[in-house]
Amino acid sequence: MLLVLALLAVVPSRALAVAVPDAQALMDWAEKAYPAYFPGHPATQTAAPYTYRFYAGSGNYIGVAGSGVWLLGPVIGSSSTPRYMGELADFSCQVDAAACGDKRLLQAAVGGLTRDFIVYLPYKVSGQTNVPVVFALHGTGGDGEHFFGASGWREKADEAGFIVVFPSALTHCFYEDSNEDGQFQPDERQVTSKWAGGRLGQPTLRPLCTADELAALPAAQRAAADHPLADDMAFFRAMAAQLVQGFGADPRRLYVAGFSNGGEMTGRLATEASTTFAAFAVAAAPAPLGGVVAARPPSLVYTVGQFDSEIAPKLGYPAGLPMNGTLVASSVVQASLVQPFLAALQLGIGTSHSQPTVNGVATSQFLYRNALGRAGNAFGLVVIGDLDHAYPNGSNHPLRLADPLWDFFQGQQLPADSLAASRRPADRR
């Protein structure tokens, strides 16, 4: 009980101009943060000088008198004498964590180009060292600012206490065979942000525009896209080094989660930077290109929506992916999705299937564990029910994907020998 009291009474680590919660907001927060001590949502009552709530399930009271917060009951070991816990202002950051977060807009010079990224430091990590970090990657056409607001990772960081990085891809001029007829037509040219996840710049997959084509673009597009193919691998290694050296990040607990083209980049990082990052989560993206095997086979979770309009038809399921465990029996799914990941992660073909409900959402999950010559890593393929091509954040879909992914990441860390390997010059190319 005393530990809970200590947690309840934590004050902000620095003075911030944030709104002071009122009694109702304070009690609502306490119910969510400590449901065992403040169960349910009883009616608010008054008995001068207190505005309070009584929790019959635990016998505890929480009340506010003036600007002071008081507790009574088993939570403090007394049912007769209330205990003063601090001022309402002392709980500002607990009640509204986002208002106390430290959002920093940073840049890194990589390959002669200036790269932008956001580092979000929840108030809970202020002054701490060896803090885990999640790199959250947006999809085509997005940027770090958009994913900061739409991914759900910032909110999860406020709750759990870890750093989140939201980097931005560079704008490129390139072609993509949208109609899959084997040719690149003028109307298939794109000028937008795109991660160099392996396919970008490949002549047969996503060729870059020629110098003449760049010169013919409108001035704003030309200025944004007139540069060589981005060295995104160097960009991620530079960000990782900066987080460790400048923000107290734990070098053994750096994770990457990406959506769509950001998921494609995540897959490339899993194969080419597995001694820098500990674990990976790919959402709604193509599998890594064949032939590249991770130096350290990491664990990776792949998620896709049941009705993903960009993935399901390519896997042979235009009406939606099956949720009954038959998905991996498809030769198309095996060849285009499962086998590339298994080969890159050095895993065998044995699998188990389950259909758990996650935060009220039906899922179909396949788990591959039997490593070939290695031990400990796994590949999870998860179909999320009733989801299209989107990153579920709790508002656009009942599931906030950051919740189960953070649970997965917490069980992973980089082995000490892999960390040493990541610091050798040969691995920093």
Side-chain angles (χ1 to χ4, degrees):
M1 292 183 185
L2 293 179
L3 176 60
V4 171
L5 286 176
L7 292 172
L8 188 62
V10 169
V11 298
S13 56
R14 56 186 182 276
L16 296 167
V18 296
V20 176
D22 60 18
Q24 302 288 347
L26 184 283
M27 292 185 285
D28 288 347
W29 164 79
E31 291 169 3
K32 294 178 181 178
Y34 303 100
Y37 294 91
F38 310 109
H41 186 62
T44 302
Q45 304 179 59
T46 58
Y50 297 101
T51 298
Y52 72 95
R53 291 178 189 170
F54 171 63
Y55 299 87
S58 63
N60 292 316
Y61 292 80
I62 183 170
V64 175
S67 61
V69 179
W70 297 78
L71 294 180
L72 179 68
V75 68
I76 63 166
S78 174
S79 297
S80 58
T81 305
R83 180 178 297 178
Y84 172 70
M85 301 303 300
E87 297 294 294
L88 282 168
D90 295 335
F91 296 90
S92 295
C93 290
Q94 287 91 330
V95 174
D96 187 6
C100 296
D102 186 359
K103 178 185 178 184
R104 304 191 186 184
L105 309 179
L106 303 178
Q107 293 183 324
V110 179
L113 299 171
T114 300
R115 305 300 303 270
D116 298 324
F117 61 104
I118 295 169
V119 174
Y120 182 69
L121 305 160
Y123 86 94
K124 287 184 178 180
V125 309
S126 179
Q128 296 186 21
T129 58
N130 292 323
V131 180
V133 179
V134 174
F135 290 75
L137 280 56
H138 64 81
T140 301
D143 57 23
E145 182 65 37
H146 170 76
F147 218 48
F148 173 86
S151 66
W153 277 108
R154 190 273 300 165
E155 293 83 351
K156 188 62 183 178
D158 283 330
E159 295 169 7
F162 57 88
I163 299 171
V164 195
V165 179
F166 299 91
S168 293
L170 289 179
T171 295
H172 290 85
C173 179
F174 62 96
Y175 287 84
E176 192 152 24
D177 187 12
S178 303
N179 60 11
E180 300 182 348
D181 65 354
Q183 300 181 26
F184 297 106
Q185 308 294 339
D187 62 355
E188 294 178 320
R189 186 176 69 189
Q190 300 185 41
V191 183
T192 189
S193 61
K194 196 79 167 179
W195 293 108
R199 290 165 175 79
L200 186 63
Q202 295 286 334
T204 61
L205 298 175
R206 291 184 190 138
L208 297 178
C209 297
T210 66
D212 289 342
E213 290 169 333
L214 281 170
L217 292 175
Q221 288 188 333
R222 183 172 66 252
D226 191 7
H227 55 77
L229 179 65
D231 189 350
D232 282 332
M233 296 302 297
F235 179 37
F236 278 89
R237 288 194 171 96
M239 287 189 291
Q242 189 166 342
L243 265 292
V244 171
Q245 295 166 8
F247 291 90
D250 186 344
R252 298 181 65 184
R253 293 189 293 164
L254 307 179
Y255 311 108
V256 187
F259 168 63
S260 196
N261 174 237
E264 184 180 324
M265 186 67 215
T266 302
R268 184 183 178 194
L269 289 164
T271 58
E272 299 183 39
S274 62
T275 59
T276 299
F277 300 96
F280 304 85
V282 174
L289 294 177
V292 181
V293 177
R296 175 196 67 90
S299 289
L300 184 148
V301 170
Y302 180 94
T303 58
V304 61
Q306 179 184 8
F307 301 114
D308 191 315
S309 56
E310 295 192 20
I311 303 294
K314 294 179 181 179
L315 296 178
Y317 295 96
L321 300 174
M323 301 289 289
N324 58 5
T326 62
L327 179 65
V328 298
S330 162
S331 59
V332 174
V333 173
Q334 282 290 327
S336 62
L337 186 62
V338 175
Q339 291 302 321
F341 275 111
L342 296 185
L345 302 175
Q346 299 186 39
L347 286 164
I349 61 174
T351 182
S352 60
H353 177 254
S354 61
Q355 294 177 273
T357 298
V358 181
N359 291 5
V361 176
T363 69
S364 179
Q365 304 191 15
F366 303 87
L367 182 62
Y368 296 81
R369 280 191 179 278
N370 53 322
L372 301 175
R374 303 266 184 160
N377 71 314
F379 170 59
L381 168 58
V382 181
V383 182
I384 301 173
D386 200 27
L387 176 68
D388 201 330
H389 191 73
Y391 202 81
N393 59 22
S395 296
N396 60 1
H397 185 268
L399 174 67
R400 185 174 67 176
L401 187 55
D403 292 335
L405 290 185
W406 176 242
D407 292 340
F408 159 65
F409 283 149
Q410 287 190 89
Q412 311 293 323
Q413 68 176 11
L414 203 64
D417 58 345
S418 294
L419 179 61
S422 72
R423 291 172 174 168
R424 290 197 292 265
D427 193 66
R428 296 199 297 267
R429 290 191 298 270

